[in-house]
Amino acid sequence: MNYRHAFHAGNFADVLKHVVLVMLVEHLKKKPAPFFYLDTHAGRGLYDLSDASAQRSGEYKDGIGRLLEAPPRELVPEVADYVRLVRESAGPGRSAITAYPGSPALVAQLRRPDDRMVLAETLPREAAALRKALGRQRLLSVIESDGYAALKAHLPPRENRGLVLIDPPYESDLEFDRVLAGLGTAHERWPTGTYCIWYPRTGRAGPERFHRELERSGLRRILDMWLAVLPHDARVGMSGAGLVVVNPPWLLEERLRELLPSLHGLLAPEGLGGTGVEWIVPE
Ligand SMILES: C[S@@+](CC[C@H](N)C(=O)[O-])C[C@H]1O[C@@H](n2cnc3c(N)ncnc32)[C@H](O)[C@@H]1O
């Protein structure tokens, strides 16, 4: 595997994913019963933005960088919550941050003492960094494992409520097949869980096929949301990013319809690309 998330941490695609992740976790916290969180492709938890990879790509500057520079009044409440978390977890500074928190660090900050987390990461170096970033915590385990195997090993959870984030590197379109197979198995074991799957929008066939396969999957309540910063036919690897949420909380769709255009305005000030919220399969 050549993929290194350090190049991409904090870019527009991470922003979209992490804003929605924070919304999903906040929704779970509305009920007192503990929740379970499984991150199948957890990453290293904290990304040093002064690192050569982050500096070389500079992607975070057009992502979280733009939100940190925006006047607070321009941020809708959910985006403001996310920006506050990033500032808190990533280090001091008024407009500059030194590190960007990954999904495990964001959820670890938000969870309550009885909420449980399992974080799967296949690369030993990344898993070790994740352990170091989060330290020893009650009801939190980092497993050096294939994330798709973790779906089998850890579902259904004893809490019987919670969220699974599936966020693979998509080094090739074959990853969509692994996601579909993993989701099918997971949903069979735990039909009531919420599943959030990140995917890149590219000019390749993979994303479109992914949506068609989801339509045919037999699963219900599949909501798709996306944000693009470039036109779909742009000659770049990734013009936008999307999330598919199976069993989304009530009102997520409505909130996203207001939130995504405002987020897009900040991330793509030239107005290129766009946003969308659509049911792939409704109720
Ligand atoms: C996009 S990054 C994850 C970012 C993280 N979820 C976040 O939002 O901060 C993908 C991660 O998956 C890891 N990975 C790749 N294949 C994997 C697999 N089969 N199982 C678990 N982790 C894998 C990579 O090493 C990389 O750290």
Side-chain angles (χ1 to χ4, degrees):
M1 176 172 48
N2 292 318
Y3 183 84
R4 287 200 52 216
H5 195 65
F7 285 98
H8 313 296
N11 69 1
F12 77 91
D14 256 10
V15 169
L16 171 71
K17 170 177 62 188
H18 293 155
V19 166
V20 174
L21 178 65
V22 170
M23 290 170 78
L24 292 172
V25 172
E26 287 297 356
H27 177 81
L28 286 167
K29 285 168 65 180
K30 286 189 179 154
K31 283 194 184 154
F35 68 78
F36 173 69
Y37 173 73
L38 172 61
D39 204 323
T40 57
H41 296 72
R44 64 192 291 122
L46 200 59
Y47 297 87
D48 180 0
L49 295 177
S50 64
D51 175 86
S53 325
Q55 284 303 320
R56 185 139 38 99
S57 78
E59 287 187 21
Y60 74 91
K61 293 178 190 156
D62 292 335
I64 186 65
R66 295 204 162 161
L67 301 195
L68 291 168
E69 282 165 11
R73 66 173 185 284
E74 285 187 20
L75 306 179
V76 298
E78 292 88 344
V79 176
D81 286 349
Y82 152 76
V83 170
R84 193 167 44 247
L85 271 177
V86 171
R87 282 192 201 278
E88 283 170 10
S89 68
R94 282 170 66 83
S95 59
I97 56 167
T98 54
Y100 181 79
S103 47
L106 290 169
V107 180
Q109 252 177 299
L110 288 172
R111 77 176 175 136
R112 303 157 303 181
D114 291 334
D115 298 325
R116 187 164 63 95
M117 302 174 62
V118 171
L119 310 168
E121 168 57 51
T122 195
L123 278 188
R125 184 191 62 221
E126 299 299 282
L130 180 56
R131 286 199 183 97
K132 191 164 165 222
L134 296 182
R136 285 179 74 83
Q137 296 188 30
R138 186 177 161 266
L139 296 181
L140 180 152
S141 42
V142 175
I143 51 170
E144 199 182 299
S145 146
D146 170 50
Y148 301 111
L151 290 169
K152 284 194 188 144
H154 294 274
L155 300 183
R158 58 178 180 262
E159 294 82 356
N160 205 20
R161 59 190 299 268
L163 171 65
V164 177
L165 175 66
I166 304 179
D167 181 23
Y170 295 92
E171 286 190 295
S172 87
D173 277 357
L174 289 176
E175 191 85 55
F176 286 105
D177 298 317
R178 287 194 280 267
V179 169
L180 287 161
L183 176 64
T185 310
H187 191 273
E188 231 167 72
R189 301 176 74 88
W190 191 32
T192 55
T194 296
Y195 299 89
C196 178
I197 300 150
W198 182 90
Y199 69 90
R201 276 171 66 90
T202 66
R204 298 202 306 262
E208 268 183 40
R209 194 168 53 82
F210 179 51
H211 285 80
R212 278 201 308 276
E213 296 286 340
L214 282 167
E215 251 174 62
R216 288 205 291 250
S217 65
L219 309 190
R220 309 216 57 85
R221 304 197 66 231
I222 310 180
L223 185 67
D224 181 48
M225 61 216 66
W226 57 270
L227 184 152
V229 294
L230 288 171
H232 198 48
D233 56 3
R235 291 181 172 275
V236 292
M238 184 173 83
S239 57
L243 293 166
V244 163
V245 180
V246 180
N247 295 327
W250 190 61
L251 290 183
L252 180 71
E253 174 197 4
E254 195 179 307
R255 285 304 302 142
L256 287 171
R257 287 195 195 283
E258 178 188 335
L259 182 155
L260 289 185
S262 127
L263 190 58
H264 179 257
L266 296 166
L267 294 172
E270 316 77 20
L272 298 176
T275 64
V277 183
E278 289 124 31
W279 286 97
I280 296 178
V281 186
E283 292 295 329

